[in-house]
Coordinates of all heavy atoms in Angstrom, one line a residue:
P1 N 110.2 110.8 85.2 CA 111.2 110.6 84.1 C 110.5 110.3 82.8 O 109.5 109.6 82.8 CB 112.0 109.4 84.6 CG 111.8 109.3 86.1 CD 110.4 109.9 86.3
E2 N 110.9 110.9 81.7 CA 110.2 110.8 80.4 C 110.2 109.4 80.0 O 109.2 108.9 79.3 CB 110.9 111.7 79.4 CG 110.1 111.8 78.1 CD 110.8 112.7 77.1 OE1 110.5 114.0 77.2 OE2 111.5 112.3 76.2
D3 N 111.2 108.6 80.3 CA 111.2 107.2 79.8 C 110.5 106.2 80.8 O 110.4 105.0 80.5 CB 112.7 106.7 79.6 CG 113.5 106.8 80.9 OD1 113.1 107.4 81.9 OD2 114.6 106.2 80.9
A4 N 110.1 106.7 81.9 CA 109.3 105.9 82.9 C 108.5 106.7 83.8 O 108.7 106.8 85.0 CB 110.3 105.1 83.8
P5 N 107.4 107.3 83.2 CA 106.6 108.3 84.0 C 105.5 107.7 84.9 O 105.0 108.3 85.7 CB 105.9 109.1 82.9 CG 105.8 108.2 81.8 CD 107.0 107.3 81.8
M6 N 105.3 106.4 84.7 CA 104.1 105.8 85.3 C 104.1 105.8 86.9 O 103.1 106.2 87.5 CB 103.9 104.4 84.9 CG 102.6 103.7 85.4 SD 102.3 102.1 84.6 CE 100.8 101.7 85.3
A7 N 105.2 105.4 87.5 CA 105.2 105.3 89.0 C 105.0 106.6 89.7 O 104.2 106.7 90.6 CB 106.6 104.7 89.4
V8 N 105.6 107.7 89.2 CA 105.4 109.0 89.8 C 104.0 109.5 89.6 O 103.3 110.0 90.5 CB 106.4 110.0 89.2 CG1 106.0 111.4 89.6 CG2 107.8 109.7 89.7
H9 N 103.4 109.3 88.4 CA 102.0 109.6 88.2 C 101.1 108.9 89.1 O 100.1 109.4 89.7 CB 101.6 109.4 86.7 CG 102.0 110.5 85.8 ND1 103.3 110.6 85.3 CD2 101.3 111.5 85.2 CE1 103.3 111.7 84.5 NE2 102.1 112.2 84.4
L10 N 101.3 107.6 89.3 CA 100.4 106.8 90.1 C 100.5 107.3 91.6 O 99.4 107.3 92.3 CB 100.8 105.3 90.1 CG 100.4 104.6 88.8 CD1 101.0 103.1 88.8 CD2 98.9 104.5 88.6
I11 N 101.6 107.6 92.1 CA 101.8 108.1 93.4 C 101.0 109.5 93.6 O 100.2 109.6 94.5 CB 103.2 108.3 93.8 CG1 103.9 107.0 93.9 CG2 103.4 109.1 95.2 CD1 105.5 107.0 93.9
M12 N 101.3 110.4 92.7 CA 100.7 111.7 92.9 C 99.2 111.8 92.5 O 98.4 112.4 93.2 CB 101.6 112.8 92.1 CG 103.0 112.8 92.6 SD 104.1 114.0 91.7 CE 103.5 115.5 92.5
L13 N 98.9 111.2 91.4 CA 97.5 111.2 91.0 C 96.6 110.3 91.9 O 95.5 110.6 92.2 CB 97.3 110.7 89.5 CG 97.9 111.6 88.5 CD1 97.8 110.9 87.1 CD2 97.2 113.0 88.5
G14 N 97.3 109.3 92.5 CA 96.6 108.5 93.5 C 96.3 109.3 94.8 O 95.3 108.9 95.5
A15 N 97.0 110.3 95.0 CA 96.7 111.2 96.1 C 95.8 112.4 95.7 O 95.6 113.4 96.4 CB 98.0 111.8 96.7
E16 N 95.3 112.3 94.4 CA 94.5 113.3 93.8 C 95.2 114.7 93.7 O 94.5 115.7 93.7 CB 93.1 113.5 94.5 CG 92.3 112.2 94.5 CD 90.8 112.4 94.8 OE1 90.5 113.5 95.2 OE2 90.1 111.4 94.6
I17 N 96.5 114.7 93.5 CA 97.2 115.9 93.2 C 97.1 116.2 91.8 O 97.4 115.3 90.9 CB 98.7 115.7 93.6 CG1 98.9 115.4 95.1 CG2 99.5 117.0 93.2 CD1 100.4 115.0 95.4
V18 N 96.6 117.4 91.4 CA 96.5 117.8 90.0 C 97.9 118.1 89.5 O 98.7 118.7 90.2 CB 95.7 119.1 89.9 CG1 95.8 119.7 88.5 CG2 94.2 118.7 90.1
L19 N 98.2 117.6 88.3 CA 99.5 117.8 87.7 C 99.4 118.8 86.6 O 98.7 118.6 85.6 CB 100.1 116.5 87.2 CG 100.2 115.3 88.3 CD1 100.8 114.1 87.6 CD2 101.1 115.8 89.4
L20 N 100.1 119.9 86.8 CA 100.1 121.0 85.8 C 101.4 120.9 85.0 O 102.5 121.3 85.6 CB 99.9 122.3 86.5 CG 100.1 123.6 85.7 CD1 99.1 123.7 84.5 CD2 100.0 124.8 86.5
E21 N 101.4 120.4 83.8 CA 102.6 120.1 83.1 C 102.8 121.1 81.9 O 101.9 121.6 81.3 CB 102.6 118.7 82.6 CG 102.5 117.7 83.7 CD 102.3 116.2 83.3 OE1 101.6 116.0 82.3 OE2 102.7 115.3 84.0
G22 N 104.1 121.3 81.6 CA 104.4 122.1 80.4 C 104.3 123.6 80.6 O 104.0 124.3 79.7
I23 N 104.4 124.1 81.9 CA 104.4 125.5 82.2 C 105.7 126.2 81.8 O 106.7 125.5 81.6 CB 104.0 125.8 83.6 CG1 104.9 125.1 84.6 CG2 102.5 125.4 83.9 CD1 104.6 125.4 86.1
R24 N 105.7 127.5 81.8 CA 106.9 128.3 81.4 C 107.1 129.3 82.5 O 106.3 130.3 82.6 CB 106.8 128.9 80.0 CG 106.7 127.9 78.9 CD 108.1 127.2 78.8 NE 108.1 126.2 77.8 CZ 108.0 124.9 78.0 NH1 107.7 124.5 79.2 NH2 108.0 124.0 77.0
L25 N 108.2 129.2 83.3 CA 108.5 130.0 84.4 C 109.7 130.9 84.3 O 110.2 131.4 85.3 CB 108.5 129.2 85.7 CG 107.2 128.4 86.0 CD1 107.5 127.4 87.2 CD2 106.1 129.4 86.4
S26 N 110.3 131.0 83.1 CA 111.6 131.7 83.0 C 111.5 133.2 83.5 O 112.5 133.7 83.9 CB 112.1 131.6 81.6 OG 111.2 132.3 80.7
E27 N 110.4 133.8 83.3 CA 110.2 135.2 83.7 C 109.7 135.4 85.2 O 109.5 136.5 85.6 CB 109.2 135.9 82.8 CG 109.6 135.8 81.3 CD 111.0 136.4 81.0 OE1 111.2 137.5 81.5 OE2 111.7 135.8 80.2
V28 N 109.6 134.3 85.9 CA 108.9 134.3 87.2 C 110.0 134.1 88.3 O 110.7 133.1 88.2 CB 107.8 133.3 87.3 CG1 107.2 133.3 88.7 CG2 106.8 133.5 86.2
E29 N 110.1 135.0 89.3 CA 111.0 134.8 90.4 C 110.4 133.8 91.4 O 109.1 133.6 91.5 CB 111.3 136.1 91.1 CG 111.9 137.1 90.2 CD 113.3 136.8 89.8 OE1 114.0 136.1 90.6 OE2 113.8 137.2 88.7
D30 N 111.2 133.2 92.2 CA 110.7 132.3 93.3 C 109.8 133.1 94.2 O 110.1 134.3 94.5 CB 111.9 131.7 94.0 CG 112.6 130.6 93.2 OD1 112.4 130.6 92.0 OD2 113.4 129.9 93.8
G31 N 108.8 132.5 94.8 CA 108.0 133.1 95.7 C 106.5 132.7 95.6 O 106.2 131.8 94.9
V32 N 105.6 133.5 96.3 CA 104.2 133.2 96.3 C 103.5 134.0 95.3 O 103.7 135.2 95.2 CB 103.6 133.4 97.7 CG1 102.1 133.1 97.8 CG2 104.4 132.6 98.7
Y33 N 102.6 133.4 94.6 CA 101.7 134.1 93.6 C 100.3 133.5 93.7 O 100.0 132.6 94.4 CB 102.2 133.8 92.1 CG 103.6 134.3 91.9 CD1 104.7 133.5 92.3 CD2 103.8 135.5 91.3 CE1 106.0 134.0 92.0 CE2 105.1 136.0 91.0 CZ 106.2 135.2 91.4 OH 107.5 135.7 91.2

């Protein structure tokens, strides 16, 4: 959540998940790439 991003970041970054933010997928269909 934009007003409280810390908890989610700590969980995911704590598991060393890379966060790719601000992407644009409007032209992309669901599926594997």
Side-chain angles (χ1 to χ4, degrees):
E2 190 174 276
D3 59 347
M6 185 172 181
V8 169
H9 276 80
L10 286 175
I11 292 166
M12 298 180 78
L13 293 176
E16 297 197 350
I17 299 170
V18 166
L19 302 180
L20 172 58
E21 298 171 330
I23 54 178
R24 292 293 177 263
L25 297 170
S26 62
E27 303 300 317
V28 181
E29 299 293 331
D30 289 14
V32 180
Y33 298 83

